[in-house]
Amino acid sequence: MHSALRPKPSVKLPPSLIPSTVDHLPHPILKKSCLSQNNDHHHHQKLIINGTDHHQISSSSSSLNNTTIIDKSNWSLGLINSKGKYLTAETFGCKINATGTSLKRKQKWLIIYNIQYDCVYLQSPLNHYLSTDKYGRLKCDMNDIDDDCRFQLEFNRNGQWAFRSLTYGMYLGGDIDQLHCFSKTPEWWSPHLALHPQINLKHVLRKRYAKLDEDEIHIDEIIPWGSDAILAVEYLHDHYCIRSSNGFYFHKDGKVITKQTDETLFTIELHKGYITFKDCDQCYLTAIGPLGIMTTRNKIAGKDEQFLLEESKLQICLVAPNGKLVSIKQGIALSANQHQRDHSSIFQLEYDEDFQAYHLRTYDNKYWKIEGLGIQATADKKSIETSFHIQSVGHGYVTFQTSNGKFIVPHATGTMRIVTDQISSNDAYFSIKFINRPFCVFKCDFGHVGYRNKQSRILECNKSLFTLFTLEEPDIETHCEGIVYLKSSDGLYWEILNDLYVSVSSCEPSKFALELCSSYSRVVIKAPNGMYLRAEQNGSIQATCQNSRQATQWEF
């Protein structure tokens, strides 16, 4: 790369943000080798950007029985054949077919990259591996990886993928229940990423994240912080759009524009296990210059064109009972003493399954930690002392309980203190505000939230394609009640109809509330009628739940 286009001299990165590399790997003979499932599949599932369920993403690589797999380059996606049907893994008999009409659980496959052979494995939703024999007969009932499971990827100009058996040289293809792997010429599949679309985009070589900067996207953030660092990757008919935090579309020439055009459409490929974006002129997305201006340039994908799509974790501000923002502006001690929001008053929520609690990260890459009777932002690593149970108490308020069972209560000076194991007043209540969700995409176990059909304004929850909604704040007097307004791109608001369905048809805002769940960074939605939204498998969403525990938990 020309010296004028090299990034600025590197700032020393926090150790936890530097991905490990694998150099000079051995080349073992992969002969009927076994890949232990134990916790490994569970580990992979947590790494995928969401097919993943949006848990912690590791930056390490795994070597399992001489099969080295790069953890961060495993991808959950659906595969669509030439007839428009998804590759499907049936629950009964481990059968596979190409009959799926949308991206549901049975259509989500894990693409696992192997660095030694530059090949991939296809893992089904049932955790079995797809394999072929020398006659092209497919099976998907294997718990272990062997040489019959290896496929190499090929790509065409339309962004479609072909899977060629590395062992036998034939291509995966077929239709309905007549799938096979004996085609001598490529049969093409379209990849549909099974992720929650709100992501942070990381440039692999620069180790920097993308953020909106006026009308451009710059890749220069060491840690993706605040609303400008969130992007949405939108799937549109075998192509993808990249949308910035203001909802605009990224143009291949490096600007963000208000409307979708052919120049805002990209296809995706996997190179060395990492994702690349290719524009309509067959040029790949990259970063240019010391500012890392994102644009397309080269027609060959190398290290400078490789990206990761990482889960965008919730970032929040907290308003203490004294009406001031909790901050670390004065130093390492947490104190409610600020009126103006800045990076020091924003905290990232990271749910930990092992502790069943949250860790709170600061902008300078430290974690909240119990220090005596107070809370300080001093921890470099997650531990029991950095874990906090967050409990919603309604109306947008939460409490923080430490690992020793005591609650955080602000002192009169604003300093955070651990002083009680019982709550006797609202002194332990903090108002929570979501910072890095300038737009919302709601997703539940049945799919994304979107319109019932093109003619209807009623929302349903079983859509494979998402709809963007703006999270609008009321004035400051009502914000402490946890109220938000949910608005569509055409300016209409969510409202509850007489039959308790949700419709996007009101000219005036209705008061909804988002309440943080005690796990997995999800929210429940309280409607203006005082009831919580509940989703059903048939797609219906109604405001019928009196108790938040029975309400649907939404990824957002």
Side-chain angles (χ1 to χ4, degrees), residues 454-507:
K454 293 182 179 180
Q455 290 75 39
S456 176
R457 304 293 298 184
I458 293 176
L459 294 180
E460 292 188 336
C461 64
N462 58 356
K463 305 300 178 184
S464 58
L465 302 181
F466 66 87
T467 301
L468 281 179
F469 299 101
T470 302
L471 191 67
E472 194 174 276
E473 298 176 10
D475 56 57
I476 193 166
E477 287 83 12
T478 57
H479 173 68
C480 289
E481 300 174 5
I483 298 301
V484 296
Y485 304 142
L486 295 165
K487 189 178 182 180
S488 66
S489 59
D490 56 7
L492 296 179
Y493 292 91
W494 285 30
E495 65 174 344
I496 301 298
L497 302 179
N498 292 334
D499 55 8
L500 303 183
Y501 285 98
V502 183
S503 176
V504 188
S505 52
S506 175
C507 295

Side-chain angles (χ1 to χ4, degrees), residues 123-406:
Q123 189 180 51
S124 78
L126 301 175
N127 307 340
H128 297 139
Y129 294 94
L130 185 68
S131 65
T132 181
D133 62 17
K134 62 182 180 181
Y135 301 108
R137 294 177 297 205
L138 293 171
K139 292 194 304 180
C140 196
D141 57 359
M142 299 182 64
N143 293 319
D144 303 323
I145 287 175
D146 67 16
D147 51 355
D148 287 348
C149 300
R150 294 182 291 169
F151 293 88
Q152 285 189 321
L153 283 171
E154 297 180 9
F155 311 102
N156 65 15
R157 292 178 60 87
N158 298 321
Q160 295 170 311
W161 300 3
F163 293 84
R164 178 179 175 270
S165 170
L166 190 61
T167 304
Y168 303 109
M170 299 299 184
Y171 291 91
L172 174 66
D175 191 26
I176 312 178
D177 58 356
Q178 301 297 317
L179 299 181
H180 56 78
C181 190
F182 58 73
S183 296
K184 294 184 178 180
T185 57
E187 294 200 25
W188 300 105
W189 301 80
S190 299
H192 182 177
L193 288 173
L195 48 75
H196 190 283
Q198 291 168 303
I199 55 99
N200 298 127
L201 184 65
K202 184 178 183 180
H203 192 275
V204 174
L205 185 63
R206 295 190 178 217
K207 302 182 178 69
R208 295 294 191 274
Y209 291 87
K211 77 171 191 304
L212 180 65
D213 193 329
E214 295 182 352
D215 62 345
E216 295 179 333
I217 294 178
H218 293 177
I219 301 178
D220 59 358
E221 288 259 274
I222 295 177
I223 304 175
W225 211 254
S227 61
D228 289 345
I230 189 172
L231 300 174
V233 176
E234 184 173 3
Y235 179 75
L236 292 170
H237 310 298
D238 300 342
H239 291 75
Y240 291 85
C241 290
I242 300 172
R243 300 181 70 169
S244 57
S245 57
N246 57 8
F248 288 9
Y249 293 88
F250 175 73
H251 190 280
K252 67 182 184 66
D253 291 338
K255 302 293 184 181
V256 293
I257 61 176
T258 57
K259 294 183 179 180
Q260 177 213 320
T261 67
D262 288 344
E263 286 75 31
T264 65
L265 293 176
F266 300 86
T267 56
I268 61 169
E269 298 175 357
L270 290 185
H271 289 268
K272 303 300 179 183
Y274 296 107
I275 204 164
T276 62
F277 292 88
K278 190 165 64 174
D279 68 16
C280 56
D281 295 325
Q282 307 297 303
C283 295
Y284 289 91
L285 192 65
T286 188
I288 295 176
L291 295 178
I293 298 173
M294 196 164 83
T295 187
T296 57
R297 170 174 282 196
N298 300 320
K299 293 197 173 186
I300 298 176
K303 290 184 178 180
D304 213 27
E305 286 72 37
Q306 295 173 352
F307 290 89
L308 286 167
L309 311 183
E310 292 191 354
E311 167 197 354
S312 174
K313 295 181 175 64
L314 286 177
Q315 293 174 356
I316 61 171
C317 279
L318 295 168
V319 181
N322 64 4
K324 296 182 180 179
L325 290 167
V326 178
S327 170
I328 56 168
K329 192 167 188 177
Q330 304 301 321
I332 60 175
L334 285 150
S335 183
N337 57 12
Q338 298 296 314
H339 290 285
Q340 298 296 322
R341 185 205 313 165
D342 61 14
H343 280 356
S344 68
S345 59
I346 298 175
F347 306 102
Q348 181 165 285
L349 296 177
E350 299 180 6
Y351 184 72
D352 191 317
E353 284 187 86
D354 295 330
F355 294 114
Q356 295 187 348
Y358 287 97
H359 305 278
L360 288 95
R361 187 197 291 259
T362 66
Y363 77 101
D364 58 356
N365 205 34
K366 300 291 184 181
Y367 289 98
W368 289 21
K369 184 181 180 182
I370 302 171
E371 296 284 0
L373 295 177
I375 302 293
Q376 295 185 353
T378 57
D380 295 314
K381 297 180 180 179
K382 298 176 182 179
S383 67
I384 189 67
E385 289 82 11
T386 70
S387 63
F388 298 86
H389 297 279
I390 303 178
Q391 186 67 45
S392 174
V393 290
H395 301 290
Y397 290 100
V398 295
T399 60
F400 291 84
Q401 189 176 25
T402 63
S403 56
N404 60 15
K406 296 184 180 297

